[in-house]
Structures are given as structure tokens and as C-alpha cells.
Amino acid sequence: MDYMGLLIFLGVMVVLSLLLISLNSLLGPKTPESMEDYPYECGVPLYDMSAQSTFHQGYYLLGLLLLLFDIEAAFLFPWTVVYKHLGIFGFVEMFLFILILTYGLLYAWRKGALDWQFEEEVFER
């Protein structure tokens, strides 16, 4: 009986999802699009790329920066929960953490890691 609300929620969720999928298949468009199965990667069109081809280094730098700031966000949420218990020590530690991350962002910005300037030959192929 303790889990009755959860079971009702699960049942409503399953019924609603099956209903929406059924409505989509009944009322949705039936004609296939010409570009429906075309692979699309980050706004750059593919030009006869094989498995051995290389990508622009901006993709890798952006991925690393995304990881860096996702880790920051994942670290900030638990810190906000226990902030009152940590006192001034917790505040100083978080201040140093944010300071180091800000320095990393400014360094990446200064080095041009956030600039998406591609060579014109990439788009002319």
C-alpha cells in the first residue's frame, strides 16, 4: 500500500506514452522525407567522410570544456545543500574552485578555443 501512488503514476505514464505513440503513427505524415536518414553532425555537413578522417579540433575542445563545466555544476548542487554546515571553510573552498574554473575559462577564451572560425575549404567541398 505504501507504493500505490508510485504504481498509479507508472500506470498513467505507460498508458499516456502508448497513447501518444499510437496517435503519432496514426496522424503523422506517411511520406518519407528525402533527408530523413541523412547523418548530421553539429551543423557541419558531411562530405564523403570515411572512418579514418579527422574532425576539426574545435569539437574536441568544446567537448572538454563541456565536461569541465558539467563537473562544476555537478559539484555545486550538493555544496548548496550542505552550505550551512560547512561554514567559512566551505565558502573558501568553493570560492577557490570557482576561481580556478574561471581562470580555465578565461584561458580557453584567450587561446581561441571558443571561436568557431573554420577554413573556407571545409564548406566548399
Side-chain angles (χ1 to χ4, degrees), residues 93-118:
E93 288 292 322
M94 186 52 68
F95 179 76
L96 290 174
F97 180 70
I98 298 292
L99 186 70
I100 291 169
L101 284 175
T102 304
Y103 175 74
L105 175 65
L106 292 175
Y107 178 79
W109 193 351
R110 203 171 110 216
K111 290 293 183 179
L114 303 177
D115 294 333
W116 285 90
Q117 300 294 326
F118 291 109

Side-chain angles (χ1 to χ4, degrees), residues 28-102:
K30 305 289 190 271
T31 58
E33 296 290 326
S34 62
M35 300 295 280
E36 187 173 2
D37 294 329
Y38 185 75
Y40 183 78
E41 182 68 35
C42 298
V44 178
L46 295 176
Y47 298 103
D48 191 35
M49 299 185 87
S50 67
Q52 286 81 26
S53 64
T54 60
F55 287 99
H56 191 269
Q57 70 176 357
Y59 294 120
Y60 302 111
L61 290 173
L62 185 67
L64 288 174
L65 289 172
L66 178 70
L67 277 174
L68 175 75
F69 292 106
D70 280 350
I71 290 171
E72 173 195 2
F75 189 62
L76 278 174
F77 286 122
W79 177 78
T80 57
V81 172
V82 296
Y83 173 68
K84 288 183 180 178
H85 303 291
L86 295 176
I88 192 70
F89 176 75
F91 178 77
V92 170
E93 288 292 322
M94 186 52 68
F95 179 76
L96 290 174
F97 180 70
I98 298 292
L99 186 70
I100 291 169
L101 284 175
T102 304

